[in-house]
Structure formats: structure tokens, C-alpha cells
């Protein structure tokens, strides 16, 4: 349902004039061309992006973003967990900043808008504000959070969760990727290429956080709307399950003597699908990664490790389903041994009405049709929500397709979201 009222954003007529003028300075072509330039780093043959956390491709993306920031007089900085900030100091450089951004890392078959849009919309908003001669009363920090996707290193949202204090730095630094490379090692290599950047403290005060992002779902496109005011983020629990059996000769070992870890994993996953079956189709149960060892055609599998990504908008339901996973695994393990490790447990959250009303008023001021929308996807805003007033702006993506190389959006929708962001930044930095 589109909001059509003419609620006024806060501020004096002069300030409103500045903010609408600034929003009008958002340049859809400039924003689009920056997406095209950023997509070259980690570009895949199918037109998508594979830019893993702390990879060479992400370092190239950092260089590009820092270069654009320096052209606007923004000061780059990082922190101990590998987040990137571009600071516009404003009138009172010591005041708590407003942060806006998202992430530059992608899924292996990712698109060119997931995460990148939030970072580039922040840059575009700052450039539009500068062109409108707006001087923020407090700093604005554009941010690119480290490892939002959780693809190379699991779980995701490492940068924002350590920044906010929800996760410990040492816990995150110890996580290893599929090649056994620890975050600490990858971070040291990455940081060496940016040794000139100041390293800011973690858990520093933040006045407010705004994140622009593609919806990664079909609702806005279906309603023909350019902007969604995000009401909250559904809950998500992630697990790693290891099934331990015994490698054996595929030709000489009778079934009765096998401890086949893959057959057990297949039974377990089928059992979990049944456990999570939902006639309302609200449960989101995904096994996205499955590793078999020794992964040889003539060896009975010795062990299998697979991931579980479980989500639901109702926290109680999510709690019930997640708490039942171990019992289902043990019931289906047969002669194998199974261990279940929970990697993350994030409840459903609702963003504060103050920020949602501000964003809706800004969209009204700009006469941009919009609707309230729940985020089914996870975002770094989850962790900023724990430490400051936080909100999100969605724009549609084609067919709701995301985490897919075909991910697509329109320049005009990207610009519309950036205009609402610009307008809101004026209000938050008066
Ligand atoms: O998985 C998610 O929800 C996010 O896109 N990383
Ligand atoms: Mn994202
Ligand atoms: Mn994503």
C-alpha cells in the first residue's frame, strides 16, 4: 500500500529547501556509472560479481571507493576488524557521526547491487549535499562493513557485529576459510595494502545509521514502487552440522558394515526439511554448502559437513525450530556420529518508529511513492540497531532476484532511494 500523505519532514523552511535541493542534486547517471566501475572488481563472465571478503578484488574496490572519497575531501579510515570508513567531518568533527553504508563483499555468484548500492548511495548523498552547500552539524561516515555475506568466512556480518560489540574481535579473527586461512591472516594482508589509513576504535558512539539496499525480493517491483521503508529484519539462525562415519572401500564393504556419512547426511537433511515444513511458507530453511570427505568416487564417505540457514519472522517459531535441529539430526544419524554447532542466532527486530517516520516523511517531501516492508534478508543494520537509531531504505530489484549474477535494478530507482537517503541525512545532521 503506497503512502500518499503529505507529512512534512522536520526542519525550517530554509532547511527543507536545502534538503530538497540537495536531494535534487542526486545524479542518477553518476550513481549508475559508479556501480558499473565497482562491478569490474570481481566481475564474473555471466555479468555478476564474485568479490569475497578481504580478497584482492575487495581491496581493489576499497582503492576505487577511497579515490572517489578523496575527490570529495572525505578522509578514509579503518578499524581492527577491517571496516572501511570515509568521513565528512562537518561543523563539529568531535560529535558522534551519522553512519550510512552497507558492504562491498559479495556472494560467489553475486550481483552488482547487493551491498554496493548502500555504499554508493551514501557517497552519492554526500556529493549531492556538498553540491547543495549543506554543511552537516556532525560528521557523516560512509561505511563498507567487513564480510557481511559470510561466504568466505562464516558467519557473516563480522564487521558490523564486532564494531557494535555484539561479537568479540578475537572470536572473529580465529575463523578460517575453506583453505584454512584465518580472518586474522587475511586481514593482516589486506591491512598492509592500506597501512596509511588511521585505525579507529571499535564500539565508538554513533548518532544514527541508515542503510540503503536492494530489496532482494519481489514486493516493491510488484507494487510498482521505487522505495520501501524497512520496518524490521526477520530472525535468522545459522548452524554447521558435521556427520562423522568411516571411509571404506566402495567395492568390498557390504552395506551392513558401512558408516556412510553422506547417506546419513541425506537422511538428516530430509528429516530437517520435514521438521521445517510450513504450510504458510514463511519458514526459510536452506542447506547452501555441503562438503564431503574424502570426496572420492570409490570411497564410502568418511565425513560430511553442511550449513543450515534458518529464518522466520516470528522469533518464537524460529526459536522452536532451531532448538529442535539437534534431535532431528541425532534421530537420522544411523551408525554415524553427528555434531551441531550454532554459528549465529539473531531474533526478529523492528526499527524505531522515529527513523521510519523520518524516512517516510522524506519520501513524502520528495513525492516518492513508498511502502512499509519487512526485510526477509539479513543486513548489517541489524547490529547497528543495537547501538543507535537505525533504519533502512529499499529499492526494487528485477524480479526480486539476488544472490544471483542476474541481479538487476534501474538507475531511476537507485537514484530515488539515494534522494530519500540524502533528505534524511540533512534532517539527521542539522
Ligand atoms: O543472507 C542474507 O540475508 C544477506 O543477503 N547476506
Ligand atoms: Mn547485502
Ligand atoms: Mn547478500
Amino acid at each position: 500500500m503506497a503512502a500518499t500523505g503529505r507529512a512534512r519532514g522536520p526542519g525550517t523552511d530554509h532547511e527543507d529547501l536545502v534538503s530538497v535541493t540537495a536531494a535534487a542534486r542526486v545524479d542518477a547517471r553518476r550513481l549508475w556509472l559508479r556501480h558499473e566501475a565497482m562491478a569490474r572488481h570481481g566481475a564474473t563472465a555471466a555479468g555478476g560479481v564474485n568479490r569475497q571478503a578481504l580478497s584482492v578484488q575487495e581491496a581493489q574496490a576499497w582503492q576505487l571507493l577511497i579515490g572517489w572519497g578523496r575527490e570529495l575531501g572525505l578522509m578514509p579510515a579503518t578499524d581492527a576488524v577491517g571496516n572501511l570508513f570515509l568521513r565528512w567531518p562537518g561543523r563539529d568533527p568531535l560529535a558522534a557521526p551519522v553512519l550510512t553504508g552497507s558492504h562491498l563483499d559479495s556472494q560467489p555468484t553475486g550481483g552488482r547491487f547487493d551491498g554496493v548500492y548502500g555504499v554508493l548511495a551514501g557517497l552519492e548523498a554526500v556529493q549531492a549535499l556538498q553540491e547543495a552547500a549543506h554543511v552537516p552539524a556532525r560528521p557523516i561516515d560512509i561505511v563498507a562493513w567487513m564480510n557481511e555475506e559470510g561466504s568466505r568466512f562464516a558467519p557473516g556480518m563480522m564487521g558490523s557485529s564486532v564494531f557494535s560489540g555484539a561479537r568479540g574481535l578475537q572470536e572473529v579473527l580465529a575463523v578460517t576459510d575453506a583453505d584454512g586461512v584465518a580472518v586474522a591472516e587475511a586481514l593482516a594482508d589486506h591491512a598492509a595494502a592500506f597501512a596509511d589509513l588511521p585505525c579507529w576504535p571499535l564500539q565508538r558512539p554513533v548518532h544514527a545509521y541508515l542503510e540503503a539496499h536492494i530489496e532482494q525480493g519481489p514486493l516493491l517491483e510488484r507494487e510498482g514502487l521505487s522505495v520501501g521503508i524497512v520496518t524490521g529484519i526477520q530472525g535468522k539462525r545459522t548452524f554447521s552440522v558435521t556427520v562423522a562415519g568411516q571411509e571404506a572401500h566402495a567395492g568390498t564393504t557390504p552395506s551392513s558394515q558401512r558408516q556412510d556419512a553422506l547417506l546419513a547426511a541425506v537422511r538428516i537433511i530430509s528429516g530437517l526439511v520435514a521438521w521445517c515444513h510450513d504450510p504458510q511458507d514463511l519458514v526459510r530453511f536452506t542447506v547452501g554448502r555441503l562438503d564431503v570427505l574424502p570426496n572420492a568416487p570409490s570411497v564410502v564417505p568418511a565425513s560430511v559437513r553442511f550449513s543450515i540457514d534458518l529464518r522466520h519472522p516470528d522469533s518464537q517459531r524460529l526459536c522452536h525450530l532451531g532448538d529442535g535441529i539437534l534431535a532431528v539430526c541425532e534421530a537420522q544419524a544411523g551408525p554415524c556420529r553427528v555434531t551441531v554447532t550454532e554459528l549465529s542466532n539473531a531474533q526478529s527486530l523492528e526499527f524505531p518508529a522515529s527513523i521510519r517516520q523520518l524516512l517516510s516523511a522524506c519520501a513524502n517531501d520528495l513525492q516518492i511513492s513508498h511502502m512499509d516492508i519487512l526485510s526477509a534478508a539479513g543486513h548489517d543494520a541489524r547490529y547497528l540497531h543495537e547501538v543507535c537509531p537505525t533504519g533502512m531504505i529499499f529499492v526494487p530489484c528485477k524480479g526480486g532476484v539476488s544472490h544471483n549474477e542476474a541481479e538487476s535494478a534501474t538507475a531511476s530507482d537507485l537514484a530515488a532511494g539515494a534522494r530519500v537517503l540524502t533528505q534524511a541525512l540533512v534532517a539527521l545532521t542539522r
Side-chain angles (χ1 to χ4, degrees), residues 103 105-107 114-115 148-149 213 216 377-379 402-403 407:
H103 58 92
D105 67 302
S106 80
Q107 293 291 348
D114 179 356
E148 187 277 344
E149 295 287 12
H213 205 287
Q216 300 178 296
H379 300 286
S402 184
H403 286 191
E407 182 183 277

Side-chain angles (χ1 to χ4, degrees), residues 188-205:
D189 292 345
H190 182 85
F194 298 93
D196 59 321
L197 299 192
C199 189
W200 285 351
L202 297 167
Q203 294 181 263
R204 56 195 172 85

Side-chain angles (χ1 to χ4, degrees), residues 289-344:
R289 174 177 284 157
L290 185 139
D291 303 312
V292 183
L293 287 178
N295 206 28
S298 298
V299 179
V300 174
S303 75
V304 168
R305 187 174 64 173
F306 65 86
S307 62
I308 293 175
D309 179 319
L310 177 67
R311 311 193 197 196
H312 197 284
D314 177 275
S315 291
Q316 278 189 323
R317 187 83 186 119
L318 182 66
C319 181
H320 172 72
L321 290 172
D323 289 354
I325 283 176
L326 178 59
V328 172
C329 291
E330 288 175 337
Q332 300 297 335
C336 296
R337 297 166 306 289
V338 63
T339 52
V340 177
T341 307
E342 182 153 25
L343 301 178
S344 66

Side-chain angles (χ1 to χ4, degrees), residues 113-114 213-222 225-226 394-403 406-410 413-414:
F113 301 98
D114 179 356
H213 205 287
I214 54 170
E215 175 196 341
Q216 300 178 296
L219 302 182
L220 290 174
E221 184 183 58
R222 194 172 64 197
L225 298 173
S226 294
F394 272 177
V395 296
C397 54
K398 190 168 172 29
V401 169
S402 184
H403 286 191
E407 182 183 277
S408 174
T410 68
D413 286 338
L414 299 176

